[in-house]
Amino acid sequence: MVKRIHILNGPNLNLLGTREADIYGTLTLADIESLCREDCVRLGIEMSFAQTNSEGELVTLIQAAGAAGAGLVINAGAYTHTSIAVHDAIRAARVVAVEVHLSNVYAREDFRHHSYISPVARGVICGFGATGYRLAISALAEELD
Ligand code: DQA
């Protein structure tokens, strides 16, 4: 069976490269997409990569991952800390999800310490910048075996 991974990015991640580079690094989202694509090609995984600033669109994209039988790598940005809708969508889609954050959210403000995604994720990777996406792909490649 073909392995598929959908990589979803939430609000403000389109600004990577210029947004708070001291926290999020200097790679753009397009750079991160290229790194992910290289890994997926090497591992024989079909990859889709998307970003949205809208909570409803993120829910729709999660539902699409479920319908495609894909594993999910999700950096939901600030919706991580606020969105019951994203939590419900991951649960309903029955996807294997890896929650990723570029920054170590636990070393930052208290309001970033709670995640609505962690309880419905297989695992969480944070603090390793773009490498976190690559670690998530490699973990999912094994999970989807
Ligand atoms: C983030 C961390 C979130 O707290 C923040 O709202 C983001 C990015 C990260 O990748 O480190 O937008 O998800």
Side-chain angles (χ1 to χ4, degrees):
M1 208 173 80
V2 183
K3 289 188 199 175
R4 291 191 182 85
I5 294 180
H6 287 202
I7 303 177
L8 303 183
N9 296 277
N12 297 307
L13 293 166
N14 54 313
L15 302 179
L16 286 179
T18 53
R19 175 192 182 200
E20 298 180 277
D22 50 324
I23 297 174
Y24 298 117
T26 52
L27 293 186
T28 64
L29 196 60
D31 294 332
I32 294 176
E33 178 174 358
S34 297
L35 291 171
C36 291
R37 199 165 293 286
E38 275 172 29
D39 286 355
C40 285
V41 166
R42 190 166 35 78
L43 293 163
I45 295 170
E46 265 181 24
M47 181 195 99
S48 84
F49 193 99
Q51 187 275 333
T52 176
N53 289 323
S54 139
E55 184 176 9
E57 176 68 12
L58 193 55
V59 166
T60 300
L61 290 167
I62 293 165
Q63 291 177 358
L72 190 64
V73 174
I74 181 162
N75 182 353
Y79 293 140
T80 304
H81 317 299
T82 62
S83 180
I84 298 170
V86 168
H87 169 108
D88 284 351
I90 295 171
R91 188 188 283 266
R94 298 166 164 273
V95 287
V96 180
V98 181
E99 175 183 352
V100 169
H101 301 284
L102 295 154
S103 65
N104 178 356
V105 286
Y106 299 102
R108 300 182 62 196
E109 302 96 321
D110 285 354
F111 63 81
R112 296 184 205 276
H113 296 181
H114 178 265
S115 167
Y116 280 101
I117 296 177
S118 299
V120 287
R122 178 65 57 91
V124 181
I125 299 167
C126 74
F128 294 103
T131 303
Y133 286 75
R134 306 184 67 189
L135 294 169
I137 289 167
S138 130
L140 269 183
E142 294 202 11
E143 289 286 321
L144 299 177
D145 265 342

